[in-house]
Amino acid sequence: MKIYKFGGASVKSADGVRNLEKIVKTTDQQLVVVVSAMGKMTNALELVANSFFNKKSDTDTLIQKVVDYHEAIISELFGNSRATVDLLVNDLYDDLREIVSHKPSLSYDYEYDRIVSFGELISTTIIAAYLKQRGLEAEWVDVRRAIITDSNYREGNVNMEISAKLCNEAFTGKKLCITQGFIAGTVTNQTTTLGREGSDYTAAILANVLDAKDVTIWKDVPGVMNADPKIYKDVQIIPTLSYKEAIELSYCGASVIHPKTVKPLQNKKIPLYVRSFVEPEKEGSVICNYTKQINLPPIYINKRNQVLLSLTPRDFSFIAEERLSKIFGVLASYRLKSSLVQTAAISFSLCVDYNEVNFQKMVDELKDEYEVLYNTDVELITIRHYTKEIVDKLVGERLVYVEQRNRLTARFVVPA
Ligand code: ASP
Ligand code: MG
């Protein structure tokens, strides 16, 4: 069995769906296709969730935008033979409207998950119906009854044991399954999600529990690149990477795969191919159990939208282990992720993914005990396999707030 994952950009239009069909047809092996929400529909549904939760008046208008987007794609794909798909998607639109016709509960995260999950539910419904109409033996599978998480809404923790059993029941023995990335369910059938951009992780979980031969992520880049081609011109493709290198890169902010994707694959030594849906004939990159020393070029990652925070205890006490564990506890409770930390005797600096609301709440909680200083609008530049030339080129004369180097990696916090 193979797993293919298609992200939102690959299925943002009718042409994208036709291209998916073309790629799916290139293999005659048993296949599970994991699909994200079409285009930017998760963002659009986040607006619906916010409007609903905050009892604003534009919820229906925002839902209509989501409906219109999908309807345009359906018209183009199905023409006049759309009766079957209409029945299915209309049910989903009705379900969504039904949710927002009631009062929201007190949990934002719970409401968020049950609303944004419609992006994946609708995209897979359209795609499965389309493939069937094209004569493929495609089966739509509701992943919420197969991948089971706890009720940590918006970042569900997967129970691999129960999921393994349910996934094997749901997917085994079927030629071609179409299922949702990013979403999951609890043991009591509540909808959860695995965190933004989590569809890669879904593909990896399925590969692990189904003992797939390999996973392919179809992307709008030709493979894993040594830098973001949207920012830099002279980038190159890296044909082979070890799991370790891949996990380091995604942790540093390389957007090529979701950081959680590597573990389930590494644990079963399942290779992960990253290939272009625009040029599917090209080989792309493979992330696998590669232990030999690979000579990699410098790989550089600009992690934007960071905030640099510095904490100094007001009573002049040392930043010792107990304090650190408390600080990290506070970070975790606001779901803020630190990407770099540096300690000194009585001060502690860290670079955090910026989320305005949660960040302010965290600062409020810390400021009684600490003097809190911060710079928003900073970026973290990470250079793996750095050379003097590349450091000069990327950092040069720029102001550097924090710098860290070890044998393989150099990191710089600079104003954005
Ligand atoms: N649709 C989800 C998102 O945009 C999951 C994904 O694309 O991986 O975050
Ligand atoms: Mg996406």
Side-chain angles (χ1 to χ4, degrees):
M1 177 189 286
K2 289 162 96 61
I3 315 275
Y4 279 2
K5 180 258 168 173
F6 290 88
S10 68
V11 290
K12 64 171 189 235
S13 63
D15 275 345
V17 177
R18 292 190 195 105
N19 188 49
L20 175 148
E21 178 198 355
K22 202 177 83 192
I23 293 175
V24 163
K25 280 180 171 164
T26 57
T27 176
D28 49 19
Q29 295 194 39
Q30 207 185 346
L31 191 64
V32 174
V33 179
V34 175
V35 190
S36 302
M38 292 174 160
K40 301 263 178 244
M41 281 299 108
T42 306
N43 292 357
L45 285 157
E46 276 187 344
L47 298 179
V48 173
N50 292 348
S51 168
F52 166 58
F53 190 74
N54 298 314
K55 305 191 180 83
K56 298 265 168 62
S57 59
D58 59 350
T59 315
D60 294 337
T61 321
L62 292 167
I63 290 182
Q64 197 54 45
K65 283 193 183 156
V66 171
V67 170
D68 291 347
Y69 183 92
H70 291 109
E71 286 298 295
I73 292 178
I74 293 174
S75 297
E76 220 188 306
L77 284 176
F78 294 85
N80 289 330
S81 12
R82 51 181 292 169
T84 316
V85 70
D86 272 345
L87 276 179
L88 299 167
V89 290
N90 285 338
D91 268 353
L92 291 170
Y93 303 153
D94 287 347
D95 290 348
L96 178 56
R97 292 193 178 108
E98 159 74 16
I99 290 176
V100 305
S101 71
H102 298 274
K103 270 198 194 143
S105 69
L106 296 178
S107 163
Y108 174 75
D109 293 350
Y110 165 77
E111 301 298 350
Y112 176 101
D113 279 358
R114 46 180 205 150
I115 289 175
V116 298
S117 54
F118 279 88
E120 273 70 13
L121 292 172
I122 299 171
S123 74
T124 50
T125 299
I126 297 173
I127 289 167
Y130 178 72
L131 295 177
K132 267 192 219 163
Q133 202 190 53
R134 300 282 301 162
L136 278 82
E137 243 178 82
E139 204 167 314
W140 183 86
V141 176
D142 187 343
V143 84
R144 296 173 300 173
R145 304 289 166 266
I147 295 182
I148 302 301
T149 68
D150 60 8
S151 43
N152 189 34
Y153 296 103
R154 296 187 67 190
E155 190 145 8
N157 299 296
V158 177
N159 181 324
M160 291 296 273
E161 227 169 284
I162 305 179
S163 303
K165 185 171 171 286
L166 295 174
C167 285
N168 275 289
E169 284 166 15
F171 292 97
T172 312
K174 294 175 183 165
K175 181 89 182 63
L176 172 62
C177 293
I178 311 298
T179 198
Q180 307 78 38
F182 175 55
I183 71 175
T186 66
V187 284
T188 54
N189 289 351
Q190 303 300 323
T191 300
T192 55
T193 62
L194 305 174
R196 283 302 306 262
E197 307 302 332
S199 298
D200 296 347
Y201 182 38
T202 303
I205 295 164
L206 291 177
N208 178 302
V209 298
L210 297 170
D211 284 307
K213 190 166 146 270
D214 52 47
V215 176
T216 306
I217 297 184
W218 297 95
K219 290 197 67 94
D220 57 358
V221 288
V224 180
M225 315 298 287
N226 73 321
D228 185 347
K230 287 172 196 123
I231 308 179
Y232 298 99
K233 269 203 211 95
D234 48 351
V235 296
Q236 62 187 94
I237 180 168
I238 306 173
T240 311
L241 283 102
S242 64
Y243 292 118
K244 176 137 192 304
E245 190 69 32
I247 209 162
E248 290 289 347
L249 292 181
S250 56
Y251 175 78
C252 295
S255 60
V256 65
I257 48 168
H258 188 281
K260 284 185 173 173
T261 311
V262 181
K263 178 181 156 45
L265 299 174
Q266 188 280 340
N267 289 179
K268 290 217 170 153
K269 307 283 181 278
I270 299 169
L272 171 65
Y273 295 93
V274 178
R275 297 176 62 181
S276 160
F277 63 75
V278 190
E279 296 175 299
E281 59 292 341
K282 297 222 169 124
E283 272 190 13
S285 305
V286 60
I287 296 163
C288 57
N289 190 31
Y290 202 82
T291 44
K292 273 180 272 167
Q293 184 66 36
I294 319 172
N295 278 331
L296 291 171
I299 304 175
Y300 33 105
I301 300 149
N302 296 64
K303 195 169 197 191
R304 303 242 158 100
N305 199 28
Q306 298 291 294
V307 49
L308 178 66
L309 173 76
S310 128
L311 304 171
T312 309
R314 291 193 186 280
D315 65 359
F316 226 69
S317 60
F318 286 120
I319 293 278
E321 286 65 20
E322 207 172 287
R323 274 195 180 274
L324 284 175
S325 88
K326 268 196 205 150
I327 295 171
F328 282 112
V330 175
L331 268 182
S333 72
Y334 291 106
R335 295 194 185 174
L336 293 166
K337 296 210 162 67
S338 63
S339 31
L340 174 141
V341 297
Q342 188 145 303
T343 51
I346 59 157
S347 79
F348 177 65
S349 309
L350 73 172
C351 215
V352 182
D353 291 346
Y354 188 50
N355 164 324
E356 199 180 339
V357 177
N358 285 7
F359 183 76
Q360 264 321 320
K361 286 188 193 152
M362 180 195 68
V363 169
D364 288 343
E365 184 164 341
L366 290 171
K367 75 179 183 230
D368 287 342
E369 243 179 285
Y370 298 91
E371 187 192 346
V372 184
L373 298 172
Y374 57 88
N375 289 313
T376 53
D377 225 10
V378 301
E379 73 176 303
L380 172 64
I381 301 178
T382 301
I383 313 175
R384 300 261 306 158
H385 315 282
Y386 63 92
T387 58
K388 184 175 177 312
E389 292 72 46
I390 195 73
V391 171
D392 286 347
K393 183 176 152 197
L394 298 182
V395 183
E397 302 294 301
R398 289 174 83 168
L399 172 67
V400 174
Y401 293 133
V402 182
E403 176 173 342
Q404 274 181 3
R405 293 187 199 221
N406 63 23
R407 199 169 50 84
L408 278 185
T409 310
R411 317 185 75 194
F412 305 88
V413 180
V414 298

